[in-house]
Amino acid sequence: MHEFAITKSMLDLVLGEAERVGAKEIRKIDLVIGKMSGVVDDCVQFYFDFLSKGTIAERAFLSFKMVPPTARCRNCDKLFELEEFNWTCPHCGANSLEIVTGNELFVESIEVE
Ligand SMILES: [Zn+2]
């Protein structure tokens, strides 16, 4: 359910930005979502359709860029893609990992008219 709050703050952000530049319509919103953030793109789309009604973002196209999770091993310092539920370094077997990507959640850019 946290997608509702996320979508609302995302929409507020882009509407504020569009207003700042004097845009008449928001055409496209590029979102970056890390796969570990737990945010489901379909849910965001659903709430967006609902929340954007009557705003200048009503017809905006949502573009989702899903970022795969990567981690760095604190033991051997190697960077690798993290497999789900596997918190072990594939190089040295240590399980002290630092998440590098995968928790992202932000608006990368918007297209306005
Ligand atoms: Zn390692």
Side-chain angles (χ1 to χ4, degrees):
M1 260 310 277
H2 68 315
E3 276 90 352
F4 183 85
I6 287 166
T7 308
K8 184 159 190 335
S9 57
M10 181 269 284
L11 182 63
D12 288 346
L13 179 89
V14 297
L15 287 176
E17 187 63 19
E19 193 179 342
R20 198 178 62 79
V21 299
K24 288 187 201 71
E25 189 178 8
I26 298 173
R27 303 282 300 274
K28 189 177 172 217
I29 302 167
D30 286 300
L31 289 168
V32 177
I33 299 178
K35 281 184 180 167
M36 286 181 73
S37 67
V39 174
V40 180
D41 51 357
D42 281 354
C43 290
V44 174
Q45 182 74 61
F46 175 81
Y47 290 127
F48 182 82
D49 291 344
F50 170 73
L51 290 166
S52 66
K53 276 206 175 66
T55 74
I56 60 167
E58 194 171 25
R59 283 186 293 273
F61 174 73
L62 286 189
S63 157
F64 297 96
K65 189 189 282 180
M66 303 303 281
V67 181
T70 56
R72 186 192 304 280
C73 175
R74 287 202 177 96
N75 184 49
C76 69
D77 211 36
K78 285 204 168 76
L79 199 68
F80 51 92
E81 197 163 314
L82 199 62
E83 279 173 49
E84 225 171 330
F85 309 121
N86 184 4
W87 287 74
T88 307
C89 172
H91 303 284
C92 74
N95 51 18
S96 177
L97 309 176
E98 180 192 343
I99 302 302
V100 180
T101 65
N103 282 318
E104 294 84 350
L105 184 64
F106 59 92
V107 177
E108 190 174 52
S109 63
I110 62 173
E111 266 178 45
V112 297
E113 210 171 72

